[in-house]
Amino acid sequence: MSSNECIHIKGARQHNLKNLTLDIPRNKLVVVCGPSGSGKSTLAFDIVYAEGQRRYVESLSAYARQFLPQMDKPDIDNIEGLTPAISLEQQTTSKNPRSTVGTVTEVYDFLRVFYARLGTMYCPKCGRPIVAQSMDEIIEKIAAMPEKTRFLLLAPQVEQKKGTHAKLFKSLLGEGFVRVRVNGDVFPLETPPELDKKKKHTIELVVDRLVVKEGMRKRLADSVELALKFGSGRLSVVQVGGEHDGESTLYSSDAVCPECNISLPPLTPQLFSFNSPQGACPKCSGIGSVEYFEPALIAPNQGLSLEQGAVIPWKNPKIFARYKAGLTPLGEKYGFTVSTPLKDMSEEARRVLFEGDKDLKWKGVLKILGTGMQFGSIWRDELSRFRQSRPCPACQGARLRPESLAARVADKNIDEFTRMSIRKSLEWLSALEFEAHQKLIAGPLLKELTHRLHFLVNVGLDYLSLARNMSTLSGGEAQRIRLAGQLGSGLVGVTYVLDEPSIGLHPRDNDRLLKTLRDLQGRGNTVLVVEHDDKTIENADHVLELGPGSGWLGGELVYEGDVPGLLKAKDSLTGKYLRGDLKIDQPETRREAQGHITLRNVRTNNLQGLDLALPLGCLSVVTGVSGSGKSSLVVDSLYKHIALARGTKVDNPGQLDGIDGIDAIERVVSIDQTPIGRTPRSNPATYTKIFDEIRKIFSTTKEARARGYKPGRFSFNVKGGRCESCRGDGYKRVEMHFLPDVFVKCDVCKGKRYNHETLEVKYKGKNIHEVLDMTVREAALFFENYPVLKRRLAILEDVGLGYLRLGQPATTLSGGEAQRIKISRELGKRSLPGTLYILDEPTTGLHMHEVGKLIAVLQRLVDRGASVLVIEHNTDVVRSADWVIDLGPGGGEHGGRIVAQGTPEQIAANPDSVTGSFL
């Protein structure tokens, strides 16, 4: 194919790719498949996307390039026919608490303008429509303040705007004024402050300084008239001195509530932004939640007394001694001593212990710890372990100030609109009717809003609300939100690189996603998808399969061509599964429950007061369409409440009446796909503690004992045995300014991380560097005489990771590999009864062949006495479960109920279950 018809890659050697040469057809839907760690992401993201992005950035000026992230040049001979590339990965889910579905899709920006231009103000207190205030009424209200009240009469000039504002100061001085109030402080206009032009400032003109007394009416009237003139119809009165010092009242000749006398600011888009001081709730600064000290975290063990360290921050006897004197009279009044276990105290006694008693001047544990937060960052970090977050009591999680929520369009304020599901909000918008001149304003805004909301419906996200925090979404949901954003941009001639967009999608919703990908491709774009889902592979125009194995056993091109060719290919592992030559075996029998844990009346998010009896000692799977409430039930309700009961910090646990049988669970573990380490120093050997044993073995060799080397000598993280030139990294970073940083192999240790003396110590003819370079499989044979090491390495091999190198940097592992390393660490524990494992979509990034291995590993955890609860859409995992809980029937408000529960056979036979039809 010519470079106009395809992207031609020659000699790709990045990571584990073995000198590949291949063609990717342009303007087609191309799927890259193969086992986990076979090089799919390397080909799609590290070569096609990175090089497309890098070439685009290179075309910019050197000045512009310094503000952009530098991309590394991939290890390839040549690449031709490349177009600008956009990547939609899963790992980039925003953890910013201010990031919502509305802000990421930019729907919220249009919504702010919509409410600012078409909203009507209602009084936040009594709910009446707001009307204008006359000058006489303003004068009357100021004159009615208590006698001898001193106050400043101010005319607002600038509100939260950047700049030095020197011209404004000069013009006000020219008008004959003497003082100005800047950011709350009064300054003479002859010598105004020099303001930082990069920061936002609030400036008010001091029109007059007055005291309430008889005979002040005429001067007040003149000053009010002047203030309204210079404040564009607004003025504020700030009290000086007395108990109300600094209290400010805003008056406006434009709008005020006749009943409550509340003036409201004019409607602007900033008033509806929770990221701006004008709109954000003053209590939570627009985050929607506040942190507080949680007694369950401060004193998790109710069987201990205060003297025995029941209050964890006071465990140290010296710290406890400071408060003992205050606790003695409290105990006398409420009937306890410092040696009474907390569980034997009365409800009232426990309440005052934490919340305080004014009569006895006892502040309470919560308030005392609150003051400790002011003692510097070390104390703050230590005490933050005992804090929880909950919805802000002032705004109830709405993020905005009362004035912002006072504006309504029809019957809804902006918060009520964003809390509706996207499907409901579209119905509401289409039912709106406006008067003549409002119709002109509403037209373009409604068009933009409905246009963008329709894209979210098209990618199967109609059950989400615009107020939903991005950090609570699954990787697949976040990726599909960005996919909807790209559909809205309408670009042509771009290469889109997607990483498993079907994650989190029920098989029912897959057709919608494929239609979206086809829309993107139909506009003249190349869509390159890394995917394991059989439906997506079968619908591709062109398939590239990498393999045949993972890691160093992969990196080869097993197959390239169309789908009919893939189904005939003998060497293709994917082809064997699609043809049905290979399949995942189902268990012969289902396990019986060894007891139950019962959740009562769960109301988290969209769950509709459901009761659930979860069997213990089984492999249970929670399934259901996207948005039916699976994560709300398993993660937010079950996991967070058990973790809280065991003294682990969690944010926003779900709403429920209680959990019965919680004593049967001693330990709850959530195993996700987050990396096992954030730096290249972290590797499978250090994470699984295998490296500790290896270092001990090296320290017992004859040579090491003769030299006096301890296990620490063989660590590359501390001084002594490591190469000090590269500090044990093996590579040095060379900054290149306008070009990406280059990593050069250390010229002292030649990339081996250790100094010459350490490398002279050998065990069975191999030094420590050579051992770290072994695969798990090689190491298991090498250390077969050491039972502890042999057992741990065998577990890694059992979970399908025999190909990994012991010293492979954690940053190069895929999500599926990281998750299986975590499971192997759990399998290494001797006893598991009383342990509950929770996994959220563990098949992410796994090939059909590896899903079988994962199921076998989960079954082993259950055989060892543990209970395993999995959220999953993969039908092979559902078929392998002992017990299935199907939520639905739809997403959002149409879900949140248990549609069916039972064995996979019972679910398949249930006509109400959507999942059953796919089993």
Side-chain angles (χ1 to χ4, degrees), residues 689-702 704-705 761-766 771 774 776 778-795 830:
K689 308 288 183 201
I690 287 171
F691 197 40
D692 295 354
E693 299 296 326
I694 292 172
R695 296 199 334 250
K696 279 180 196 165
I697 292 168
F698 269 88
S699 67
T700 57
T701 57
K702 199 174 174 183
R705 288 215 304 274
V761 177
K762 296 192 176 180
Y763 170 74
K764 284 193 184 176
K766 302 262 185 199
V771 167
M774 287 180 180
V776 169
E778 290 165 353
L781 291 169
F782 188 73
F783 291 110
E784 61 185 350
N785 300 331
Y786 286 88
V788 176
L789 263 182
K790 193 181 176 187
R791 185 168 63 88
R792 286 185 186 169
L793 290 163
I795 293 167
R830 299 230 174 248

Side-chain angles (χ1 to χ4, degrees), residues 683-692 694 772 805-808:
N683 58 46
T686 55
Y687 185 81
T688 53
K689 308 288 183 201
I690 287 171
F691 197 40
D692 295 354
I694 292 172
L772 280 176
R805 297 199 181 276
L806 295 182
Q808 186 171 334

Side-chain angles (χ1 to χ4, degrees), residues 180-284:
V180 69
R181 187 169 180 249
V182 181
N183 301 331
D185 296 320
V186 178
F187 296 93
L189 271 168
E190 285 183 345
T191 54
E194 286 186 20
L195 301 181
D196 186 342
K197 67 176 179 182
K198 291 178 183 173
K199 289 184 179 171
K200 292 180 179 178
H201 306 285
T202 298
I203 300 171
E204 298 149 307
L205 173 64
V206 180
V207 176
D208 208 344
R209 298 184 296 172
L210 293 157
V211 181
V212 178
K213 60 183 180 187
E214 263 186 61
M216 62 167 282
R217 167 97 197 198
K218 187 177 183 310
R219 179 173 168 184
L220 177 65
D222 292 344
S223 299
V224 166
E225 190 179 344
L226 202 57
L228 287 172
K229 179 186 167 188
F230 280 89
S232 307
R234 293 166 71 222
L235 65 85
S236 72
V237 171
V238 177
Q239 297 192 33
V240 180
E243 59 179 313
H244 299 291
D245 182 37
E247 214 170 86
S248 170
T249 311
L250 183 74
Y251 294 97
S252 165
S253 59
D254 301 331
V256 70
C257 171
E259 189 71 25
C260 313
N261 299 329
I262 294 175
S263 290
L264 292 178
L267 292 178
T268 62
Q270 282 83 2
L271 189 69
F272 300 101
S273 168
F274 45 77
N275 294 327
S276 149
Q278 284 117 299
C281 163
K283 173 90 176 158
C284 63

Side-chain angles (χ1 to χ4, degrees), residues 639-659:
Y639 170 71
K640 288 188 176 177
H641 277 280
I642 297 176
L644 195 57
R646 298 286 166 264
T648 305
K649 182 187 174 180
V650 291
D651 283 334
N652 298 331
Q655 296 169 300
L656 46 81
D657 286 355
I659 302 179

Side-chain angles (χ1 to χ4, degrees), residues 280-341:
C281 163
K283 173 90 176 158
C284 63
S285 306
I287 288 173
S289 60
V290 289
E291 290 215 324
Y292 70 103
F293 281 103
E294 170 56 66
L297 293 175
I298 295 167
N301 189 345
Q302 298 283 303
L304 297 176
S305 67
L306 293 167
E307 211 166 34
Q308 291 168 318
V311 175
I312 294 177
W314 294 353
K315 246 183 172 175
N316 186 323
K318 286 182 182 174
I319 294 175
F320 179 63
R322 291 182 203 164
Y323 305 108
K324 200 171 177 180
L327 287 164
T328 310
L330 193 74
E332 287 168 5
K333 182 174 176 181
Y334 293 98
F336 68 88
T337 67
V338 288
S339 54
T340 309

